[in-house]
Amino acid sequence: MRKRIFKILFISVFAAMLGLGIVSPLMPIFAESLGASGIWLGIIFSGFSLSRGIFMPIIGSISDKKGRKKFITFGLLLYAIVSLLYLLATNVYTLSLIRFIHGFASAMVIPIAMAYVGETTEEGKEGSSMGTFNISLFLGMGAGPFLGGILHDSFGMSSVFYAMSGLTAIAFLITVIFLPDMNYSKAIKKSSSFKRLLKNDIMKGLLLYRVTRAMGRGGVMSFLPIFASTIHISLTQIGTILSVNIFLSALLQRPFGKLADKYNKFNLIIVGSIIGALPLLFVPFCHNFWHLLFINAIMGGGGALAMPAATAITVKVGKIVGMGSSMGIFNTAMSVGMVLGPLLSGVVMDILGINSIFYVAGIISLLGTAVFYYYIRKGLAHKNGN
């Protein structure tokens, strides 16, 4: 049963993330075609993450009591419908609203699927299990931008949204037909979950790291296509650059997940986050496709090293306080960063120019690593009674 659940969720999440990834290199350009300024680009991207951040903890906690399948299937269905609504967007206001609804749908899919997998994971194999499942996320997001660029260049913008809707509809059908509904967390008390999570110094460090890391990444992913266009890189090449970053992360998830099971998870997060953050400072010095491709490959490798260790820690906590709550708040931290990152980057772009976005993103990511290190030391010292 455990393997069956894993395979179904892996395929479904891959299909959903592939659909979502298809539009990632094109959304800034689509938004600009509707008259979006730098700050409006930030609002449009942040709307998706704001909605996720609001609803993920709530839905995650409820799923600990009511089961997972109903949320995952309804979320995928809403995904498919919302994907077609993008075709009706005529200005920045309607596009922002659609992005907010899209975020609500996402809140019912990815964190709940991660909670489902986390609860079926064997003790001591959290890193390898979650690392393997993370492949579905990264592989879908990695292949998506490349496919999206090809679809746009070959058939136009509308084809991208049709493809996103169709892929998500396939994922919906797979979960409806094949995914069993199981509820592992009936014994968890909802009233204690979030309180216990937020009191834990290790989780504080992990969540704050997640926020700052997402702030840096959110700004970059939102505005990198615009920067790339200034150095005369085509949409297909932009999609390739984004795909290599994420695709490399996908390939490294399983081996780095095994490392997380054997070695110190906190050290892996620190090293990985530094490797992922430093290249951001060098993006403005890129002058062609190959420079930008190399920088993004390094960032992808750093993120791949940190991610399995971070999700493994979250699974361990979730087995105590509720997996839905744990994964919900873990992904909410990312959404908070994804809200703040594009907004801050939009302001920075309007005031200082697009190059400054990457300097700010790199500094914020490095500061997040320092904050994580501080809370981990504090949490371990408290645990050891020092």
Side-chain angles (χ1 to χ4, degrees):
M1 180 66 75
R2 180 184 290 116
K3 290 183 178 179
R4 178 188 173 191
I5 292 171
F6 186 94
K7 290 178 181 177
I8 294 169
L9 289 173
F10 187 98
I11 294 170
S12 298
V13 169
F14 168 73
M17 294 305 293
L18 181 62
L20 190 60
I22 282 175
V23 302
S24 62
L26 306 173
M27 189 56 63
I29 296 165
F30 179 61
E32 281 198 321
S33 72
L34 298 179
S37 62
I39 188 62
W40 268 108
L41 282 172
I43 292 171
I44 288 166
F45 275 89
S46 296
F48 180 88
S49 298
L50 175 63
S51 180
R52 278 169 52 95
I54 292 171
F55 294 109
M56 277 191 298
I58 299 170
I59 295 171
S61 183
I62 295 173
S63 75
D64 282 337
K65 306 291 184 179
K66 304 296 184 181
R68 318 287 186 201
K69 181 175 179 177
K70 58 176 67 71
F71 293 103
I72 296 173
T73 52
F74 181 72
L76 288 170
L77 177 61
L78 189 56
Y79 250 85
I81 296 171
V82 171
S83 299
L84 298 177
L85 293 181
Y86 282 102
L87 297 168
L88 305 178
T90 56
N91 52 52
V92 294
Y93 308 109
T94 55
L95 183 57
S96 298
L97 177 60
I98 292 168
R99 291 287 290 175
F100 188 85
I101 299 171
H102 203 167
F104 172 67
S106 178
M108 289 185 281
V109 179
I110 305 305
I112 308 305
M114 292 176 69
Y116 210 154
V117 172
E119 283 185 319
T120 60
T121 297
E122 295 180 47
E123 189 70 29
K125 295 184 178 180
E126 293 86 0
S128 58
S129 178
M130 295 307 298
T132 303
F133 184 73
N134 288 340
I135 293 174
S136 65
L137 305 175
F138 287 103
L139 201 59
M141 285 297 291
F146 179 71
L147 179 59
I150 293 176
L151 285 172
H152 178 274
D153 290 347
S154 301
F155 304 106
M157 183 67 77
S158 296
S159 66
V160 175
F161 298 116
Y162 285 124
M164 179 168 64
S165 179
L167 287 165
T168 312
I170 292 172
F172 165 74
L173 292 175
I174 290 172
T175 56
V176 167
I177 297 171
F178 299 108
L179 183 66
D181 197 7
M182 301 177 70
N183 183 3
Y184 287 87
S185 301
K186 289 181 179 179
I188 299 298
K189 293 182 179 179
K190 179 180 177 182
S191 61
S192 65
S193 298
F194 293 125
K195 185 177 181 181
R196 293 175 66 185
L197 278 169
L198 297 176
K199 278 188 173 182
N200 187 292
D201 283 326
I202 291 176
M203 280 304 297
K204 283 181 186 176
L206 186 61
L207 295 175
L208 289 171
Y209 154 77
R210 188 83 161 140
V211 169
T212 53
R213 174 69 177 162
M215 283 183 67
R217 184 174 180 81
V220 169
M221 295 302 288
S222 302
F223 291 88
L224 186 64
I226 296 175
F227 171 81
S229 67
T230 66
I231 55 176
H232 309 294
I233 293 177
S234 71
L235 284 175
T236 299
Q237 288 177 317
I238 293 171
T240 302
I241 289 168
L242 295 178
S243 293
V244 166
N245 179 314
I246 305 171
F247 190 65
L248 181 61
S249 295
L251 292 177
L252 295 174
Q253 284 298 299
R254 184 170 176 80
F256 285 163
K258 291 182 178 179
L259 283 180
D261 287 334
K262 294 181 179 179
Y263 301 104
N264 188 295
K265 296 177 179 60
F266 305 122
N267 290 341
L268 292 176
I269 293 173
I270 291 170
V271 173
S273 62
I274 292 173
I275 293 173
L278 286 176
L280 290 169
L281 303 175
F282 295 93
V283 170
F285 299 97
C286 295
H287 300 295
N288 57 48
F289 168 76
W290 294 107
H291 291 167
L292 207 53
L293 184 68
F294 177 72
I295 287 292
N296 271 266
I298 297 175
M299 288 191 292
L305 181 60
M307 184 64 174
T311 49
I313 293 171
T314 308
V315 167
K316 285 184 173 292
V317 175
K319 288 182 177 180
I320 299 172
V321 301
M323 198 64 69
S325 298
S326 182
M327 285 299 177
I329 199 168
F330 178 75
N331 283 278
T332 292
M334 181 188 72
S335 292
V336 170
M338 294 296 286
V339 169
L340 297 177
L343 287 173
L344 177 61
S345 296
V347 173
V348 170
M349 176 181 169
D350 288 345
I351 297 175
L352 301 175
I354 194 164
N355 286 354
S356 298
I357 289 174
F358 304 101
Y359 298 132
V360 172
I363 292 170
I364 288 174
S365 296
L366 290 172
L367 287 175
T369 305
V371 170
F372 174 74
Y373 176 72
Y374 166 78
Y375 273 106
I376 292 308
R377 286 194 61 183
K378 182 179 178 183
L380 292 178
H382 178 76
K383 184 177 180 181
N384 295 329
N386 296 330

